[in-house]
Coordinates of all heavy atoms in Angstrom, one line a residue:
M1 N 91.3 92.0 140.3 CA 91.5 93.4 140.1 C 91.0 93.8 138.7 O 91.4 93.2 137.7 CB 93.0 93.7 140.2 CG 93.4 95.1 140.0 SD 95.1 95.5 140.2 CE 95.3 95.6 142.0
N2 N 90.2 94.8 138.6 CA 89.7 95.2 137.3 C 90.5 96.4 136.9 O 91.4 96.9 137.6 CB 88.2 95.5 137.3 CG 87.8 96.6 138.3 OD1 88.6 97.5 138.6 ND2 86.6 96.5 138.8
K3 N 90.2 97.0 135.7 CA 91.0 98.1 135.2 C 91.0 99.3 136.1 O 92.1 99.9 136.3 CB 90.4 98.5 133.8 CG 91.2 99.6 133.1 CD 90.6 100.0 131.8 CE 91.3 101.2 131.2 NZ 90.7 101.6 129.9
S4 N 89.9 99.7 136.7 CA 89.9 100.9 137.5 C 90.7 100.7 138.8 O 91.3 101.6 139.3 CB 88.4 101.3 137.8 OG 87.7 100.4 138.5
E5 N 90.6 99.5 139.3 CA 91.4 99.2 140.5 C 92.9 99.2 140.2 O 93.7 99.6 141.0 CB 91.0 97.8 141.1 CG 89.6 97.8 141.7 CD 89.1 96.4 142.0 OE1 89.6 95.4 141.4 OE2 88.1 96.3 142.8
F6 N 93.2 98.6 139.0 CA 94.6 98.6 138.6 C 95.1 100.0 138.4 O 96.2 100.4 138.9 CB 94.8 97.8 137.3 CG 96.2 97.9 136.8 CD1 97.1 97.0 137.3 CD2 96.5 98.8 135.8 CE1 98.4 97.0 136.8 CE2 97.8 98.8 135.3 CZ 98.8 97.9 135.8
I7 N 94.3 100.9 137.8 CA 94.7 102.3 137.6 C 94.9 103.0 138.9 O 95.8 103.8 139.1 CB 93.8 103.0 136.6 CG1 94.0 102.4 135.2 CG2 94.0 104.5 136.6 CD1 93.0 102.9 134.1
R8 N 94.0 102.8 139.8 CA 94.2 103.4 141.2 C 95.5 102.9 141.8 O 96.2 103.8 142.4 CB 93.0 103.0 142.0 CG 92.9 103.7 143.4 CD 91.6 103.5 144.1 NE 90.5 104.1 143.5 CZ 89.5 103.5 142.9 NH1 89.4 102.2 143.0 NH2 88.5 104.2 142.3
A9 N 95.8 101.7 141.8 CA 97.0 101.2 142.4 C 98.2 101.7 141.6 O 99.3 102.1 142.2 CB 97.0 99.6 142.3
Y10 N 98.1 101.8 140.3 CA 99.2 102.4 139.4 C 99.4 103.8 139.8 O 100.6 104.3 139.9 CB 98.7 102.2 138.0 CG 99.8 102.6 136.9 CD1 101.0 102.0 136.9 CD2 99.4 103.5 136.0 CE1 101.9 102.4 135.9 CE2 100.3 103.9 135.0 CZ 101.6 103.3 134.9 OH 102.5 103.6 134.0
A11 N 98.4 104.6 140.0 CA 98.5 106.0 140.4 C 99.2 106.1 141.8 O 100.0 107.0 142.0 CB 97.1 106.7 140.4
D12 N 98.8 105.3 142.7 CA 99.4 105.3 144.0 C 100.9 105.0 144.0 O 101.7 105.6 144.6 CB 98.7 104.3 145.0 CG 97.3 104.7 145.3 OD1 96.9 105.9 145.1 OD2 96.5 103.9 145.8
N13 N 101.2 104.0 143.1 CA 102.6 103.6 143.0 C 103.4 104.7 142.4 O 104.6 104.9 142.8 CB 102.7 102.3 142.1 CG 104.0 101.7 142.1 OD1 104.9 102.0 143.0 ND2 104.2 100.8 141.2
L14 N 102.9 105.4 141.4 CA 103.6 106.5 140.7 C 103.5 107.8 141.5 O 104.3 108.7 141.3 CB 103.0 106.8 139.3 CG 103.3 105.8 138.3 CD1 102.6 106.1 137.0 CD2 104.8 105.7 138.0
G15 N 102.5 108.0 142.4 CA 102.4 109.2 143.1 C 101.8 110.3 142.3 O 102.1 111.5 142.4
V16 N 100.9 109.9 141.4 CA 100.2 110.8 140.5 C 98.7 110.7 140.7 O 98.2 109.8 141.4 CB 100.6 110.6 139.0 CG1 102.1 110.8 138.8 CG2 100.2 109.2 138.5
T17 N 98.0 111.6 140.0 CA 96.5 111.5 140.1 C 96.0 110.3 139.3 O 96.7 109.8 138.4 CB 95.9 112.8 139.5 OG1 96.1 112.8 138.1 CG2 96.3 114.0 140.2
I18 N 94.8 109.9 139.6 CA 94.2 108.8 138.9 C 94.0 109.1 137.4 O 94.2 108.3 136.5 CB 92.8 108.4 139.5 CG1 93.1 107.8 140.9 CG2 92.1 107.4 138.6 CD1 91.9 107.5 141.7
K19 N 93.7 110.4 137.1 CA 93.5 110.9 135.7 C 94.8 110.7 135.0 O 94.8 110.3 133.8 CB 93.0 112.3 135.8 CG 92.5 112.8 134.4 CD 91.9 114.2 134.6 CE 91.5 114.7 133.2 NZ 90.8 116.0 133.3
D20 N 95.9 111.2 135.6 CA 97.2 111.1 134.9 C 97.6 109.6 134.7 O 98.1 109.2 133.6 CB 98.3 111.8 135.7 CG 98.1 113.3 135.7 OD1 97.4 113.8 134.8 OD2 98.7 114.0 136.5
A21 N 97.4 108.8 135.7 CA 97.7 107.3 135.6 C 96.9 106.7 134.5 O 97.4 105.9 133.7 CB 97.5 106.6 136.9
E22 N 95.6 107.0 134.4 CA 94.7 106.5 133.3 C 95.2 106.9 132.0 O 95.2 106.1 131.0 CB 93.3 106.9 133.6 CG 92.3 106.2 132.6 CD 90.9 106.5 132.9 OE1 90.6 107.4 133.7 OE2 90.0 105.7 132.3
A23 N 95.6 108.2 131.8 CA 96.1 108.7 130.5 C 97.4 107.9 130.1 O 97.5 107.5 129.0 CB 96.3 110.2 130.6
N24 N 98.2 107.7 131.1 CA 99.5 107.0 130.9 C 99.2 105.6 130.5 O 99.8 105.1 129.5 CB 100.3 107.1 132.2 CG 101.7 106.5 132.0 OD1 101.9 105.3 131.6 ND2 102.7 107.3 132.4
F25 N 98.3 104.9 131.2 CA 98.0 103.5 130.9 C 97.3 103.4 129.5 O 97.7 102.5 128.7 CB 97.0 102.9 131.9 CG 96.5 101.6 131.7 CD1 97.4 100.5 131.9 CD2 95.3 101.3 131.2 CE1 97.0 99.2 131.6 CE2 94.8 100.1 130.9 CZ 95.7 99.0 131.1
N26 N 96.4 104.3 129.2 CA 95.7 104.3 127.9 C 96.7 104.5 126.7 O 96.6 103.9 125.7 CB 94.6 105.3 127.8 CG 93.4 104.8 128.7 OD1 93.3 103.6 129.0 ND2 92.6 105.8 129.1
A27 N 97.7 105.4 127.0 CA 98.7 105.7 126.0 C 99.6 104.4 125.7 O 99.9 104.1 124.6 CB 99.6 106.8 126.4
F28 N 99.9 103.7 126.8 CA 100.7 102.5 126.7 C 99.9 101.4 125.8 O 100.5 100.8 124.9 CB 101.0 101.9 128.1 CG 101.6 100.5 128.0 CD1 102.9 100.3 127.7 CD2 100.8 99.4 128.3 CE1 103.5 99.0 127.6 CE2 101.3 98.1 128.2 CZ 102.6 97.9 127.9
V29 N 98.7 101.2 126.2 CA 97.9 100.2 125.5 C 97.7 100.6 124.0 O 97.8 99.8 123.1 CB 96.5 100.0 126.2 CG1 95.6 99.2 125.3 CG2 96.7 99.4 127.6
E30 N 97.4 101.9 123.7 CA 97.3 102.4 122.4 C 98.5 102.2 121.6 O 98.5 101.8 120.4 CB 96.8 103.8 122.4 CG 96.5 104.4 121.0 CD 95.9 105.8 121.1 OE1 95.2 106.1 122.0 OE2 96.2 106.5 120.1
T31 N 99.7 102.5 122.1 CA 100.9 102.4 121.4 C 101.2 100.9 121.2 O 101.7 100.6 120.1 CB 102.1 103.0 122.3 OG1 101.8 104.4 122.5 CG2 103.4 102.9 121.6
L32 N 101.0 100.1 122.1 CA 101.2 98.6 121.9 C 100.3 98.1 120.8 O 100.7 97.4 119.9 CB 100.9 97.9 123.2 CG 101.0 96.4 123.2 CD1 102.5 95.9 122.9 CD2 100.6 95.8 124.6
T33 N 99.0 98.5 120.8 CA 98.0 98.1 119.8 C 98.4 98.5 118.4 O 98.4 97.8 117.5 CB 96.6 98.6 120.2 OG1 96.3 98.1 121.5 CG2 95.6 98.1 119.2
D34 N 98.8 99.8 118.3 CA 99.2 100.4 117.0 C 100.5 99.6 116.5 O 100.5 99.3 115.3 CB 99.5 101.9 117.1 CG 98.3 102.7 117.4 OD1 97.2 102.2 117.2 OD2 98.4 103.9 117.8
S35 N 101.4 99.3 117.3 CA 102.6 98.6 116.9 C 102.3 97.2 116.4 O 102.8 96.8 115.4 CB 103.6 98.5 118.0 OG 104.1 99.8 118.4
L36 N 101.4 96.5 117.1 CA 101.1 95.2 116.7 C 100.3 95.2 115.4 O 100.4 94.4 114.5 CB 100.3 94.5 117.8 CG 101.0 94.1 119.1 CD1 100.1 93.5 120.1 CD2 102.2 93.2 118.8
A37 N 99.4 96.2 115.2 CA 98.6 96.3 114.0 C 99.5 96.6 112.8 O 99.1 96.2 111.7 CB 97.6 97.5 114.2
K38 N 100.6 97.2 113.0 CA 101.6 97.4 111.9 C 102.4 96.2 111.6 O 103.2 96.2 110.7 CB 102.6 98.6 112.3 CG 101.9 99.9 112.3 CD 102.9 101.0 112.8 CE 102.3 102.3 113.1 NZ 103.3 103.3 113.6
G39 N 102.2 95.1 112.4 CA 103.0 93.9 112.2 C 104.3 93.9 112.9 O 105.1 92.9 112.7
E40 N 104.6 94.8 113.8 CA 105.8 94.9 114.6 C 105.6 94.0 115.8 O 104.5 93.7 116.2 CB 106.1 96.3 115.0 CG 106.3 97.2 113.8 CD 106.4 98.7 114.3 OE1 106.2 99.0 115.5 OE2 106.7 99.5 113.4
Y41 N 106.7 93.6 116.4 CA 106.6 93.0 117.7 C 107.2 93.9 118.7 O 108.0 94.8 118.4 CB 107.3 91.6 117.8 CG 108.8 91.7 117.9 CD1 109.4 91.5 119.1 CD2 109.6 91.8 116.8 CE1 110.8 91.6 119.2 CE2 111.0 91.9 116.9 CZ 111.5 91.8 118.1 OH 112.9 91.8 118.2
V42 N 106.7 93.8 120.0 CA 107.2 94.7 121.0 C 107.8 93.9 122.1 O 107.2 93.0 122.7 CB 106.0 95.5 121.6 CG1 106.4 96.4 122.8 CG2 105.3 96.3 120.5
H43 N 109.1 94.2 122.4 CA 109.9 93.5 123.4 C 110.2 94.5 124.5 O 110.8 95.5 124.3 CB 111.2 93.0 122.8 CG 112.0 92.3 123.9 ND1 111.8 91.1 124.4 CD2 113.2 92.8 124.5 CE1 112.7 90.8 125.3 NE2 113.6 91.8 125.4
I44 N 109.7 94.2 125.7 CA 109.9 95.0 126.9 C 110.8 94.1 127.8 O 110.4 93.2 128.4 CB 108.6 95.4 127.6 CG1 107.8 96.2 126.7 CG2 109.0 96.2 128.9 CD1 106.4 96.5 127.2
S45 N 112.1 94.4 127.8 CA 113.1 93.6 128.4 C 112.8 93.4 129.9 O 112.4 94.3 130.6 CB 114.5 94.3 128.3 OG 115.5 93.5 128.9
G46 N 112.9 92.2 130.3 CA 112.6 91.8 131.7 C 111.1 91.7 132.0 O 110.7 91.4 133.1
F47 N 110.2 91.8 131.0 CA 108.8 91.7 131.2 C 108.2 90.8 130.2 O 107.8 89.7 130.6 CB 108.1 93.1 131.1 CG 106.6 93.1 131.3 CD1 106.1 92.5 132.4 CD2 105.8 93.6 130.3 CE1 104.7 92.5 132.6 CE2 104.4 93.5 130.5 CZ 103.9 93.0 131.6
A48 N 108.0 91.2 128.9 CA 107.3 90.3 128.0 C 107.6 90.8 126.5 O 108.1 91.9 126.3 CB 105.8 90.4 128.2
T49 N 107.3 89.9 125.6 CA 107.4 90.1 124.2 C 105.9 90.0 123.7 O 105.3 88.9 123.9 CB 108.3 89.2 123.4 OG1 109.6 89.4 124.0 CG2 108.3 89.5 122.0
F50 N 105.4 91.0 123.0 CA 104.1 90.9 122.4 C 104.2 90.8 120.9 O 105.0 91.5 120.3 CB 103.3 92.2 122.8 CG 103.2 92.4 124.2 CD1 104.2 93.1 125.0 CD2 102.1 92.0 124.9 CE1 104.0 93.3 126.3 CE2 101.9 92.2 126.3 CZ 102.9 92.8 127.0
S51 N 103.4 90.0 120.3 CA 103.4 89.8 118.8 C 102.0 89.4 118.4 O 101.1 89.0 119.2 CB 104.5 88.8 118.4 OG 104.2 87.6 119.0
L52 N 101.9 89.3 117.0 CA 100.6 88.8 116.5 C 100.9 87.4 115.9 O 102.0 87.1 115.3 CB 100.2 89.6 115.3 CG 99.4 90.9 115.6 CD1 99.0 91.6 114.3 CD2 98.2 90.7 116.4
K53 N 100.0 86.5 116.2 CA 100.1 85.1 115.7 C 99.1 84.8 114.7 O 97.9 85.2 114.8 CB 99.9 84.1 116.9 CG 100.0 82.7 116.5 CD 99.8 81.8 117.7 CE 99.9 80.3 117.3 NZ 99.7 79.4 118.5
E54 N 99.5 84.3 113.5 CA 98.6 83.9 112.5 C 98.0 82.6 112.8 O 98.6 81.6 113.1 CB 99.4 83.8 111.1 CG 100.1 85.1 110.7 CD 99.4 85.9 109.7 OE1 98.4 85.4 109.1 OE2 99.7 87.0 109.5
K55 N 96.6 82.6 112.8 CA 95.9 81.4 113.0 C 95.3 80.9 111.7 O 94.6 81.7 111.1 CB 94.8 81.5 114.1 CG 95.4 81.8 115.5 CD 94.2 81.7 116.5 CE 94.8 81.7 117.9 NZ 93.7 81.5 118.9
D56 N 95.5 79.7 111.3 CA 94.9 79.1 110.1 C 93.4 78.9 110.3 O 92.9 78.7 111.4 CB 95.6 77.8 109.7 CG 97.0 78.0 109.4 OD1 97.4 79.1 108.9 OD2 97.8 77.1 109.6
A57 N 92.7 78.8 109.2 CA 91.3 78.4 109.2 C 91.2 77.0 109.7 O 92.1 76.2 109.5 CB 90.7 78.5 107.8
R58 N 90.1 76.7 110.5 CA 90.0 75.4 111.0 C 88.5 75.0 111.2 O 87.7 75.9 111.1 CB 90.7 75.2 112.3 CG 90.2 76.2 113.4 CD 91.2 76.4 114.6 NE 90.6 77.2 115.6 CZ 90.6 78.5 115.7 NH1 91.0 79.2 114.7 NH2 90.1 79.1 116.7
D59 N 88.3 73.7 111.3 CA 86.9 73.3 111.5 C 86.6 73.3 113.0 O 87.4 73.1 113.9 CB 86.7 71.8 111.0 CG 86.9 71.7 109.5 OD1 86.6 72.7 108.8 OD2 87.3 70.7 109.0
G60 N 85.3 73.6 113.3 CA 84.9 73.7 114.7 C 83.4 73.1 114.7 O 82.8 72.8 113.7
V61 N 82.9 73.1 115.9 CA 81.5 72.6 116.1 C 80.8 73.6 117.0 O 81.3 74.1 118.0 CB 81.5 71.3 116.9 CG1 80.1 70.8 117.1 CG2 82.3 70.2 116.0
N62 N 79.6 74.0 116.5 CA 78.7 74.9 117.3 C 78.2 74.1 118.5 O 77.6 73.1 118.3 CB 77.5 75.4 116.5 CG 76.6 76.3 117.2 OD1 76.5 76.2 118.4 ND2 75.9 77.1 116.4
P63 N 78.6 74.5 119.7 CA 78.2 73.7 120.9 C 76.7 73.6 121.2 O 76.2 72.7 121.8 CB 78.9 74.4 122.1 CG 79.2 75.8 121.6 CD 79.3 75.7 120.1
L64 N 75.9 74.6 120.7 CA 74.5 74.6 120.9 C 73.8 73.6 120.0 O 72.9 72.9 120.4 CB 73.9 76.0 120.7 CG 74.4 77.0 121.7 CD1 73.8 78.4 121.4 CD2 74.0 76.6 123.1
T65 N 74.2 73.6 118.7 CA 73.5 72.8 117.7 C 74.2 71.5 117.3 O 73.7 70.6 116.7 CB 73.2 73.6 116.5 OG1 74.4 74.0 115.8 CG2 72.4 74.8 116.8
G66 N 75.6 71.5 117.5 CA 76.4 70.4 117.1 C 76.7 70.5 115.6 O 77.4 69.6 115.1
E67 N 76.4 71.6 115.0 CA 76.6 71.8 113.6 C 78.1 72.1 113.4 O 78.7 72.8 114.1 CB 75.8 73.0 113.1 CG 76.0 73.4 111.7 CD 75.3 74.7 111.3 OE1 74.6 75.2 112.2 OE2 75.4 75.1 110.2
K68 N 78.7 71.5 112.3 CA 80.1 71.8 112.0 C 80.2 73.1 111.3 O 79.3 73.5 110.4 CB 80.6 70.7 111.1 CG 80.8 69.4 111.8 CD 81.5 68.4 110.9 CE 81.6 67.1 111.7 NZ 82.4 66.1 110.9
V69 N 81.1 73.9 111.7 CA 81.4 75.2 111.1 C 82.8 75.4 110.8 O 83.7 74.7 111.4 CB 80.9 76.4 112.0 CG1 79.4 76.4 112.3 CG2 81.6 76.3 113.4
T70 N 83.1 76.3 109.9 CA 84.5 76.7 109.6 C 84.9 78.0 110.2 O 84.2 79.0 110.1 CB 84.7 76.8 108.0 OG1 84.4 75.6 107.4 CG2 86.2 77.1 107.7
I71 N 85.9 77.9 111.0 CA 86.4 79.1 111.7 C 87.4 79.8 110.8 O 88.4 79.1 110.4 CB 87.0 78.8 113.1 CG1 86.0 78.1 113.9 CG2 87.5 80.0 113.8 CD1 86.5 77.4 115.2
K72 N 87.2 81.1 110.5 CA 88.1 81.8 109.5 C 89.5 82.0 110.1 O 89.7 82.0 111.3 CB 87.5 83.2 109.2 CG 86.2 83.1 108.5 CD 85.7 84.6 108.3 CE 84.3 84.6 107.7 NZ 83.9 86.0 107.5
A73 N 90.5 82.1 109.2 CA 91.8 82.4 109.6 C 91.8 83.8 110.2 O 91.0 84.7 109.8 CB 92.8 82.4 108.4
C74 N 92.7 84.1 111.1 CA 92.8 85.4 111.8 C 94.1 85.6 112.4 O 95.0 84.7 112.4 CB 91.7 85.5 112.9 SG 91.9 84.4 114.2
K75 N 94.3 86.8 112.9 CA 95.5 87.2 113.6 C 95.1 87.4 115.1 O 94.1 88.0 115.3 CB 96.2 88.4 113.1 CG 96.7 88.3 111.7 CD 97.3 89.6 111.2 CE 97.6 89.4 109.7 NZ 98.1 90.7 109.2
A76 N 95.9 86.9 116.0 CA 95.6 87.0 117.4 C 96.8 87.6 118.2 O 97.9 87.1 117.9 CB 95.2 85.7 118.0
P77 N 96.7 88.5 119.1 CA 97.8 89.0 119.8 C 98.2 88.0 120.9 O 97.4 87.3 121.4 CB 97.2 90.3 120.5 CG 95.8 90.1 120.6 CD 95.4 89.2 119.4
T78 N 99.5 87.9 121.1 CA 100.1 87.0 122.0 C 101.1 87.7 122.9 O 101.7 88.7 122.5 CB 100.8 85.7 121.4 OG1 101.9 86.2 120.6 CG2 99.8 84.9 120.5
A79 N 101.3 87.2 124.1 CA 102.3 87.7 125.0 C 103.1 86.6 125.6 O 102.6 85.6 126.0 CB 101.7 88.5 126.2
K80 N 104.4 86.7 125.5 CA 105.3 85.7 126.1 C 106.1 86.4 127.1 O 106.9 87.3 126.8 CB 106.2 85.1 125.0 CG 107.1 84.0 125.6 CD 108.0 83.3 124.5 CE 108.8 82.3 125.2 NZ 109.7 81.6 124.2
F81 N 105.9 86.0 128.4 CA 106.6 86.6 129.5 C 108.0 86.1 129.6 O 108.3 85.0 129.4 CB 105.8 86.4 130.8 CG 104.5 87.2 130.7 CD1 103.3 86.5 130.3 CD2 104.4 88.5 131.0 CE1 102.1 87.2 130.3 CE2 103.2 89.2 131.0 CZ 102.1 88.5 130.6
S82 N 108.9 87.0 130.0 CA 110.3 86.7 130.2 C 110.6 85.8 131.3 O 109.8 85.7 132.3 CB 111.2 88.0 130.4 OG 110.9 88.5 131.7
K83 N 111.7 85.0 131.3 CA 112.0 84.1 132.3 C 112.2 84.9 133.7 O 111.7 84.4 134.7 CB 113.3 83.4 131.9 CG 113.8 82.4 133.0 CD 115.0 81.7 132.5 CE 115.5 80.7 133.5 NZ 116.7 80.0 133.1
A84 N 112.8 86.0 133.6 CA 113.1 86.8 134.8 C 111.8 87.2 135.5 O 111.6 87.2 136.7 CB 113.9 88.0 134.5
Y85 N 110.8 87.6 134.7 CA 109.5 88.0 135.2 C 108.8 86.8 135.8 O 108.2 86.9 136.9 CB 108.7 88.6 134.1 CG 107.4 89.2 134.6 CD1 107.3 90.4 135.4 CD2 106.1 88.6 134.3 CE1 106.2 90.9 135.8 CE2 105.0 89.1 134.8 CZ 105.0 90.3 135.5 OH 103.8 90.8 136.0
K86 N 108.8 85.7 135.1 CA 108.1 84.5 135.6 C 108.7 84.0 136.9 O 108.0 83.5 137.8 CB 108.1 83.3 134.6 CG 107.2 83.6 133.4 CD 107.1 82.4 132.6 CE 108.0 82.4 131.4 NZ 107.9 81.3 130.5
E87 N 110.0 84.2 137.1 CA 110.7 83.7 138.3 C 110.3 84.5 139.5 O 110.5 84.0 140.7 CB 112.2 83.8 138.1 CG 112.8 82.7 137.2 CD 114.3 82.8 137.0 OE1 114.9 83.8 137.3 OE2 114.8 81.9 136.3
K88 N 109.7 85.7 139.4 CA 109.3 86.5 140.5 C 108.1 85.9 141.2 O 107.8 86.2 142.3 CB 108.9 87.9 140.0 CG 110.1 88.7 139.6 CD 109.6 90.1 139.1 CE 110.9 90.9 138.7 NZ 110.6 92.3 138.5
F89 N 107.4 84.9 140.6 CA 106.3 84.3 141.1 C 106.5 82.9 141.7 O 105.6 82.3 142.3 CB 105.1 84.2 140.1 CG 104.8 85.5 139.5 CD1 105.3 86.0 138.3 CD2 104.0 86.4 140.3 CE1 105.0 87.2 137.8 CE2 103.7 87.7 139.7 CZ 104.2 88.1 138.5
N90 N 107.7 82.4 141.6 CA 108.1 81.1 142.1 C 109.2 81.1 143.1 O 110.1 81.9 143.1 CB 108.4 80.1 141.0 CG 107.2 79.8 140.1 OD1 106.1 79.6 140.7 ND2 107.3 79.9 138.8

């Protein structure tokens, strides 16, 4: 399922237009992104906790040339799904 298919299913589930569902979805993603960029974590009870993880600089290898390279330190978004949500699939 790609984004447009998801938004279509989301609109059908809510009983709203695709345009309204897309605006709602984009607002959710933007709010989540802004919160993470501020260094906050977002906990949605029964679903997931979103946060930023600090990754240290590390050594790597360019797979094309075999050359050793240094990968810079960065922040990466992570999601940890709740136990209740994971149990829905087993």
Side-chain angles (χ1 to χ4, degrees):
M1 178 179 281
N2 62 30
K3 181 180 176 182
S4 62
E5 292 169 339
F6 177 81
I7 289 174
R8 187 172 291 116
Y10 186 57
D12 291 343
N13 192 16
L14 288 176
V16 298
T17 66
I18 292 173
K19 189 174 182 177
D20 289 343
E22 184 173 16
N24 186 303
F25 176 76
N26 289 338
F28 170 77
V29 171
E30 186 176 325
T31 303
L32 178 63
T33 302
D34 291 346
S35 297
L36 292 176
K38 292 177 189 174
E40 301 172 352
Y41 78 97
V42 178
H43 175 76
I44 301 172
S45 184
F47 179 57
T49 300
F50 300 89
S51 61
L52 282 180
K53 180 180 180 181
E54 302 261 346
K55 291 187 170 187
D56 295 330
R58 59 198 187 279
D59 293 330
V61 177
N62 181 333
L64 295 176
T65 63
E67 177 186 358
K68 291 186 178 186
V69 295
T70 300
I71 301 169
K72 296 179 185 178
C74 65
K75 295 178 185 176
T78 62
K80 182 176 180 184
F81 292 95
S82 72
K83 182 179 178 181
Y85 186 72
K86 287 190 267 186
E87 287 176 351
K88 292 182 179 190
F89 302 101
N90 293 315

